[in-house]
Amino acid sequence: MVSDDVAATLDGARVLIVDDDVRNVFALASALEHHGMQVLYADNGNDGIQLLAEHPDIDIVLMDAMMPEQDGYETTRIIRRNPHLTALPVVFLTAKAMPGDREVALGAGASDYITKPVDLDELLRLMARWVGQEK
């Protein structure tokens, strides 16, 4: 159960999910919307970058690591090269949980890292920490 502080911090937050697995996106988006967040979705890195350009009010990005063509690491590197997006929280959600993977994600510019299957309460607390820094 998430605390009232976490719920208040995330209420109305704008979240971009970048993930090529529509089942993951549907489940995650439904849960986040249930907690009062506005969710945008891209099924690849290029579209995610385009959505960030079209929606500069996004508060946090949830990034899958493993996507075809342009993975989450490369997408995050591109995001970080934009001076307007250097402080945007990018949290990796990934099933890729081998030793060193967290460091690779952080090295690519991720703000944080959480493994799938995602514990929703843990994710919400983590998101609130990052979104709360901006408010």
Side-chain angles (χ1 to χ4, degrees), residues 57-101:
D57 58 346
I58 289 173
D59 295 305
I60 189 166
V61 177
L62 302 180
M63 181 76 67
D64 183 32
M66 305 303 290
M67 293 180 287
E69 296 176 36
Q70 182 175 295
D71 65 18
Y73 304 103
E74 182 58 25
T75 302
T76 302
R77 286 185 198 99
I78 293 168
I79 290 169
R80 292 300 184 223
R81 286 196 290 262
N82 181 330
H84 302 290
L85 301 176
T86 56
L88 177 68
V90 177
V91 176
F92 267 60
L93 278 75
T94 181
K96 192 172 180 347
M98 300 299 290
D101 287 344

Side-chain angles (χ1 to χ4, degrees), residues 6-16 32-33 35-40 57-61 124 127-128 130-132 134-135:
V6 167
T9 300
L10 294 176
D11 188 43
R14 292 157 311 273
V15 181
L16 172 61
L32 298 180
E33 288 169 348
H35 283 85
M37 290 172 255
Q38 301 168 26
V39 179
L40 294 172
D57 58 346
I58 289 173
D59 295 305
I60 189 166
V61 177
L124 293 173
M127 291 174 66
W130 288 103
V131 170
E134 298 176 350
K135 293 186 175 184

Side-chain angles (χ1 to χ4, degrees), residues 7 17 28 45 90 95 133:
I17 300 172
L28 189 54
V90 177
Q133 290 179 10

